[in-house]
Amino acid sequence: PYRYSAIRKKLDELDQITHQTLLDLYDYNMSLARSDWSTLSVQKRSSRSLLHHVQRHPLRRQKRDNLVNLPENSPSVDKNDWKIGFVLCSENNKDCFHQAYSSGVDAVREWYSFHYINILAQMPDAKALDESDFENFIYACRFNEATCDKANYTHFHHPLYGNCYTFNDNSSSLWTSSLPGINNGLSLVVRTEQNDFIPLLSTVTGARVMVHDQNEPAFMDDGGFNVRPGIETSISMRKEMTVRLGGSYSDCTEDGSDVPVQNLYSSRYTEQVCIRSCFQLNMVDRCGCAYYFYPLPTRAEYCDYTKHVAWGYCYYKLLAEFKADVLGCFHKCRKPCKMTEYQLSAGYSRWPSAVSEDWVFYMLSQQNKYNITSKRNGVAKVNIFFEEWNYKTNGESPAFTVVTLLSQLGNQWSLWFGSSVLSVMELAELILDFIAITFILALRWFRSRQQLSPPGPPPNSHDNSAFQDEAPGLSPPHRFTVEAVVTMLPSYNSLEPRGLSRDGEVGHE
């Protein structure tokens, strides 16, 4: 992040302690060419404070789980059978845990980086330290067959990689490529000098490149890739856009305004921006200070074990909860409804070639004052271009709408019935005829019931229940006819021979 010469006085003490630690753990005598360690005994002011904190977080070995309990100095125990790491304790030293690593190189780098962060946090002007030297880093720049310079770049400082430059940012005039291909993209010659690197902080050499959309922060440690010294790296890219349906179809967000996490970056919403902001806000809330590699929230300060004694213990505990999604950051931070990605593929070749390296390095030394002894390990070339002059859009659409629903119903109807428009009309006519005929028959039946029902008895009529009781098993006929038979009465003469009865009464049979 910074040149070793710029903060060497701050790191000399840490380097001395690390040198002694490597000697004790691995019997490795680190080169003393960079600093005169004997003069450090005079620096009592800073040495006492740093040594106290290093002793609180020592780097040491720990037995593996599958080993028996043997003393550390036992000759039968191989140093490879130990895990190495450093101890982190709470403020009252009641709870401690061992941050262990299977690789000693990873353990030393992580332990050194932990103390390095505390040193940078104690420097009030560390973030404002401007080491921007464009000409000393980018020797040549060409885009779409046109020369580009420092005015076409935006400089920012990355906490891990130091000086970074963004080409074609929104703050400058946008450059456009006319055609695909290596000759119409961005071509750079970069300086990858490693003589001034911090030896215990970084173990790689080269440059780091990342392709991202405008108005998005460059997360170099997540999406970047390394450019190897002495190699020409040709990177072809394809642009892909993803458009998701929001609302009731998914939980994507348009601009992040409906996400319950404050955006700590001066850029538009992305999922990574939200996740890092969520972790930093939880860090300030739980540990009382902010992690140095993330943006600083309002009214907060960066973690420093001279002010926050147990921040390292709190940080690693919080980091474990973060990765297990106990904090809920991965649930709160939703995907944006519209996002742009670049699919990259790279090819490599030696640069410069053996027959041309002499005149290339000579021209660089004349124009850019390139005077590195190990020439091939000091420069690299990178080409970034579009593979095709188009881009791919992945969109979402509703599976069923009113139109698609009718279409699907029509398809299923045709599949199962093999119908046409005429057959559908005939079927509709058949249904209407059936309904009409049913209605007519029902109406006739209702009217016939009304005609067959007998009228009620007239007023002042006699009760005929006595006659009806005589034949209870017979039901009255539905229709009957009354015929009058008229018989002529006999004449009076016909009654005479009958005579009178004994009693003097007139009778007849």
Short mmCIF file of all heavy atoms in Angstrom, two decimals, residues 320-341:
data_model
loop_
_atom_site.label_atom_id
_atom_site.label_comp_id
_atom_site.label_asym_id
_atom_site.label_seq_id
_atom_site.Cartn_x
_atom_site.Cartn_y
_atom_site.Cartn_z
N ALA A 320 -16.18 -14.43 12.07
CA ALA A 320 -16.73 -15.79 12.04
C ALA A 320 -18.26 -15.75 11.98
O ALA A 320 -18.89 -16.53 11.25
CB ALA A 320 -16.26 -16.57 13.27
N GLU A 321 -18.88 -14.85 12.73
CA GLU A 321 -20.33 -14.71 12.67
C GLU A 321 -20.78 -14.19 11.32
O GLU A 321 -21.83 -14.57 10.80
CB GLU A 321 -20.81 -13.78 13.79
CG GLU A 321 -20.56 -14.31 15.18
CD GLU A 321 -21.06 -13.35 16.25
OE1 GLU A 321 -21.72 -12.35 15.87
OE2 GLU A 321 -20.79 -13.58 17.43
N PHE A 322 -19.98 -13.29 10.74
CA PHE A 322 -20.31 -12.74 9.43
C PHE A 322 -20.31 -13.82 8.35
O PHE A 322 -21.22 -13.89 7.52
CB PHE A 322 -19.31 -11.63 9.10
CG PHE A 322 -19.38 -11.15 7.68
CD1 PHE A 322 -20.41 -10.33 7.25
CD2 PHE A 322 -18.40 -11.51 6.77
CE1 PHE A 322 -20.47 -9.90 5.93
CE2 PHE A 322 -18.43 -11.08 5.46
CZ PHE A 322 -19.48 -10.27 5.04
N LYS A 323 -19.30 -14.67 8.36
CA LYS A 323 -19.22 -15.73 7.36
C LYS A 323 -20.32 -16.76 7.54
O LYS A 323 -20.77 -17.36 6.55
CB LYS A 323 -17.85 -16.41 7.43
CG LYS A 323 -16.70 -15.50 7.01
CD LYS A 323 -15.36 -16.21 7.11
CE LYS A 323 -14.22 -15.31 6.66
NZ LYS A 323 -12.90 -15.99 6.76
N ALA A 324 -20.75 -16.99 8.76
CA ALA A 324 -21.86 -17.92 9.02
C ALA A 324 -23.22 -17.26 8.85
O ALA A 324 -24.24 -17.90 9.09
CB ALA A 324 -21.73 -18.49 10.43
N ASP A 325 -23.24 -16.00 8.44
CA ASP A 325 -24.46 -15.21 8.21
C ASP A 325 -25.29 -15.06 9.47
O ASP A 325 -26.52 -14.96 9.42
CB ASP A 325 -25.31 -15.83 7.09
CG ASP A 325 -26.28 -14.81 6.50
OD1 ASP A 325 -26.03 -13.60 6.63
OD2 ASP A 325 -27.29 -15.23 5.91
N VAL A 326 -24.62 -15.05 10.62
CA VAL A 326 -25.33 -14.76 11.86
C VAL A 326 -25.74 -13.30 11.90
O VAL A 326 -26.79 -12.94 12.46
CB VAL A 326 -24.45 -15.13 13.08
CG1 VAL A 326 -25.15 -14.78 14.38
CG2 VAL A 326 -24.09 -16.61 13.05
N LEU A 327 -24.94 -12.43 11.30
CA LEU A 327 -25.26 -11.01 11.27
C LEU A 327 -26.39 -10.69 10.31
O LEU A 327 -26.97 -9.61 10.38
CB LEU A 327 -24.01 -10.20 10.87
CG LEU A 327 -22.76 -10.40 11.73
CD1 LEU A 327 -21.62 -9.53 11.21
CD2 LEU A 327 -23.04 -10.06 13.18
N GLY A 328 -26.69 -11.59 9.40
CA GLY A 328 -27.78 -11.38 8.45
C GLY A 328 -27.45 -10.46 7.30
O GLY A 328 -28.37 -9.99 6.60
N CYS A 329 -26.16 -10.20 7.05
CA CYS A 329 -25.79 -9.29 5.97
C CYS A 329 -26.14 -9.86 4.60
O CYS A 329 -26.58 -9.14 3.71
CB CYS A 329 -24.30 -8.97 6.04
SG CYS A 329 -23.80 -8.01 7.49
N PHE A 330 -25.95 -11.16 4.42
CA PHE A 330 -26.24 -11.77 3.13
C PHE A 330 -27.75 -11.84 2.88
O PHE A 330 -28.19 -11.91 1.73
CB PHE A 330 -25.64 -13.18 3.06
CG PHE A 330 -24.15 -13.19 3.20
CD1 PHE A 330 -23.55 -13.53 4.40
CD2 PHE A 330 -23.33 -12.85 2.13
CE1 PHE A 330 -22.17 -13.54 4.54
CE2 PHE A 330 -21.96 -12.87 2.26
CZ PHE A 330 -21.37 -13.20 3.47
N HIS A 331 -28.52 -11.81 3.94
CA HIS A 331 -29.98 -11.81 3.79
C HIS A 331 -30.50 -10.39 3.55
O HIS A 331 -31.42 -10.19 2.75
CB HIS A 331 -30.63 -12.42 5.03
CG HIS A 331 -32.12 -12.40 5.00
ND1 HIS A 331 -32.86 -13.23 4.18
CD2 HIS A 331 -33.03 -11.63 5.67
CE1 HIS A 331 -34.15 -12.98 4.35
NE2 HIS A 331 -34.28 -12.02 5.25
N LYS A 332 -29.91 -9.43 4.22
CA LYS A 332 -30.36 -8.04 4.05
C LYS A 332 -29.97 -7.47 2.70
O LYS A 332 -30.74 -6.73 2.09
CB LYS A 332 -29.78 -7.17 5.16
CG LYS A 332 -30.23 -7.53 6.56
CD LYS A 332 -29.53 -6.65 7.59
CE LYS A 332 -29.91 -7.04 9.01
NZ LYS A 332 -29.18 -6.21 10.01
N CYS A 333 -28.77 -7.79 2.25
CA CYS A 333 -28.25 -7.21 1.00
C CYS A 333 -28.78 -8.02 -0.18
O CYS A 333 -28.32 -9.13 -0.44
CB CYS A 333 -26.72 -7.20 1.01
SG CYS A 333 -26.02 -6.18 2.34
N ARG A 334 -29.74 -7.44 -0.86
CA ARG A 334 -30.37 -8.13 -1.99
C ARG A 334 -29.66 -7.78 -3.29
O ARG A 334 -28.95 -6.78 -3.38
CB ARG A 334 -31.85 -7.75 -2.07
CG ARG A 334 -32.59 -7.93 -0.75
CD ARG A 334 -34.08 -7.93 -0.96
NE ARG A 334 -34.56 -6.72 -1.59
CZ ARG A 334 -34.95 -5.64 -0.94
NH1 ARG A 334 -34.90 -5.63 0.38
NH2 ARG A 334 -35.40 -4.59 -1.57
N LYS A 335 -29.88 -8.59 -4.27
CA LYS A 335 -29.26 -8.37 -5.57
C LYS A 335 -29.92 -7.19 -6.27
O LYS A 335 -31.14 -7.00 -6.15
CB LYS A 335 -29.37 -9.62 -6.43
CG LYS A 335 -28.58 -10.81 -5.91
CD LYS A 335 -28.69 -11.99 -6.86
CE LYS A 335 -27.87 -13.16 -6.33
NZ LYS A 335 -26.43 -12.84 -6.28
N PRO A 336 -29.17 -6.40 -7.03
CA PRO A 336 -29.79 -5.32 -7.79
C PRO A 336 -30.60 -5.86 -8.96
O PRO A 336 -30.28 -6.93 -9.52
CB PRO A 336 -28.59 -4.48 -8.26
CG PRO A 336 -27.45 -5.43 -8.26
CD PRO A 336 -27.70 -6.40 -7.15
N CYS A 337 -31.65 -5.15 -9.33
CA CYS A 337 -32.49 -5.60 -10.43
C CYS A 337 -31.77 -5.49 -11.78
O CYS A 337 -32.14 -6.18 -12.73
CB CYS A 337 -33.79 -4.80 -10.46
SG CYS A 337 -34.86 -5.08 -9.02
N LYS A 338 -30.77 -4.62 -11.85
CA LYS A 338 -30.01 -4.47 -13.09
C LYS A 338 -28.54 -4.41 -12.75
O LYS A 338 -28.11 -3.60 -11.93
CB LYS A 338 -30.43 -3.19 -13.83
CG LYS A 338 -29.76 -3.02 -15.17
CD LYS A 338 -30.27 -1.77 -15.89
CE LYS A 338 -29.59 -1.62 -17.25
NZ LYS A 338 -30.07 -0.40 -17.96
N MET A 339 -27.75 -5.29 -13.34
CA MET A 339 -26.33 -5.32 -13.07
C MET A 339 -25.58 -5.70 -14.34
O MET A 339 -26.12 -6.32 -15.24
CB MET A 339 -26.02 -6.33 -11.96
CG MET A 339 -26.45 -7.74 -12.22
SD MET A 339 -26.12 -8.88 -10.85
CE MET A 339 -24.35 -8.72 -10.70
N THR A 340 -24.30 -5.27 -14.40
CA THR A 340 -23.45 -5.51 -15.56
C THR A 340 -22.22 -6.29 -15.12
O THR A 340 -21.59 -5.95 -14.11
CB THR A 340 -23.02 -4.18 -16.21
OG1 THR A 340 -24.19 -3.44 -16.57
CG2 THR A 340 -22.18 -4.43 -17.44
N GLU A 341 -21.89 -7.32 -15.84
CA GLU A 341 -20.71 -8.13 -15.56
C GLU A 341 -19.90 -8.29 -16.84
O GLU A 341 -20.42 -8.15 -17.95
CB GLU A 341 -21.12 -9.52 -15.04
CG GLU A 341 -21.84 -9.48 -13.70
CD GLU A 341 -22.30 -10.86 -13.25
OE1 GLU A 341 -22.50 -11.71 -14.14
OE2 GLU A 341 -22.42 -11.08 -12.04
#
